[in-house]
Amino acid sequence: MSPILQLRGLQRRVGSTEILRGIDLDVMPGEVIGVIGPSGSGKSSLLRCIAGLDEIAGGSVQVEGRATQPGDGAIGMVFQQFNLWPHLSARDNVSLALRLVRKMPAAAAAEKAEAALAQVGLGALAARKPAALSGGQQQRVAIARSLAMEPRVLLFDEPTAALDPELTTEVLDVIRNLAASGTTMLVVSHEMGFVAGLAHRVVFLDHGQMVQTGTPQVIFSEAAEPRIRSFLQTYLSRVAWVQG
Ligand SMILES: Nc1ncnc2c1ncn2[C@@H]1O[C@H](COP(=O)(O)OP(=O)(O)O)[C@@H](O)[C@H]1O
Ligand SMILES: [Mg+2]
């Protein structure tokens, strides 16, 4: 089997600042990669470069052996902020790019949007506008919007970071279902338990470099690398009250 996504020497620079310092990664079809690391380590930049939203200074991004092109839909991305149009229904938010970018007729686009909404458990709420949906439901609409474009690889950048804890679960459940159905994805999240349970492989970034990559067991329990241990320690101390 060959990789569905291949990064080679991926570099990003802003002015003289090195933001990504040569990232190499092969992602296999159906693989789920968790991306963790301190704030400012380059997690968002990595996803944005893969999605073609940030310009790369060197290296390559290939999907199924081909360089990605803007607008080819090979990569989908879900952001922390849902970025839904407030004046449009969930259905229209999801179908908009199908109509405008894919030039799909309105009826077919609406049908596809409803199928994508059903996939995230929102089939009954397709007519609602964002203001009439909870934050968790809005993020599920944003996920449906990505799914409707049928990307080869789906990227999540802290998809629950803007949500209250009780709304986080429903979004994590949707992402788990996508993983179980074989969606290839890269997930940046600070929900360490979620990442540990979801990812086939975890990548730890620091200062724009991949410090280590390995199974969740290796990264969360066995990593000897001091930067990983100290990063994980901050999470452990944050939940330490649970153990009393
Ligand atoms: N457009 C930009 N201009 C200047 N610096 C940037 C820009 N985008 C990101 N950076 C810097 O790049 C580094 C990585 O940022 P980012 O990818 O957002 O990290 P993370 O998502 O891990 O918090 C940070 O030091 C950030 O300040
Ligand atoms: Mg970020």
Side-chain angles (χ1 to χ4, degrees):
M1 200 162 40
S2 44
I4 191 164
L5 173 69
Q6 193 164 53
L7 310 181
R8 283 292 173 272
L10 185 65
Q11 288 178 283
R12 167 140 173 93
R13 217 172 282 133
V14 176
S16 59
T17 310
E18 302 268 4
I19 292 178
L20 296 174
R21 301 160 187 260
I23 306 285
D24 295 305
L25 184 67
D26 282 356
V27 180
M28 302 308 281
E31 199 176 16
V32 178
I33 307 285
V35 181
I36 63 170
S39 177
S41 58
K43 304 180 298 295
S44 295
S45 298
L46 176 62
L47 297 195
R48 293 180 59 84
C49 285
I50 295 171
L53 299 172
D54 280 352
E55 203 178 323
I56 66 177
S60 62
V61 177
Q62 291 195 334
V63 173
E64 291 172 333
R66 286 185 300 275
T68 52
Q69 303 297 326
D72 67 6
I75 305 284
M77 186 155 167
V78 174
F79 303 86
Q80 179 176 330
Q81 300 302 332
F82 329 125
N83 303 320
L84 300 177
W85 293 105
H87 61 294
L88 296 181
S89 66
R91 182 193 298 110
D92 288 346
N93 266 288
V94 175
S95 68
L96 192 66
L98 294 173
R99 286 182 284 137
L100 298 186
V101 180
R102 294 282 162 84
K103 311 291 180 202
M104 199 180 269
E111 195 175 318
K112 190 153 195 163
E114 298 211 353
L117 287 166
Q119 206 182 337
V120 300
L122 292 178
L125 303 183
R128 289 218 191 156
K129 290 183 179 163
L133 296 168
S134 73
Q137 290 168 336
Q138 290 183 52
Q139 185 60 302
R140 286 151 67 194
V141 173
I143 294 171
R145 178 178 55 190
S146 281
L147 290 175
M149 301 295 277
E150 297 179 354
R152 308 300 297 143
V153 180
L154 196 48
L155 312 176
F156 290 89
D157 192 1
E158 300 196 32
T160 61
L163 299 175
D164 291 332
E166 72 270 28
L167 300 177
T168 295
T169 313
E170 68 188 58
V171 172
L172 298 185
D173 284 345
V174 165
I175 299 172
R176 267 191 215 100
N177 286 340
L178 291 172
S181 66
T183 309
T184 309
M185 31 196 208
L186 275 73
V187 182
V188 172
S189 176
H190 291 296
E191 304 279 342
M192 291 301 144
F194 169 67
V195 172
L198 178 84
H200 299 114
R201 218 153 29 114
V202 177
V203 167
F204 183 88
L205 281 186
D206 193 32
H207 291 104
Q209 279 177 320
M210 258 172 51
V211 172
Q212 194 174 342
T213 169
T215 61
Q217 168 76 17
V218 163
I219 298 294
F220 290 109
S221 307
E222 297 163 11
E225 167 65 46
R227 282 175 288 181
I228 299 179
R229 300 196 67 86
S230 104
F231 172 78
L232 293 175
Q233 195 56 47
T234 63
Y235 283 89
L236 287 177
S237 52
R238 205 180 293 173
V239 295
W241 61 272
V242 174
Q243 285 110 35

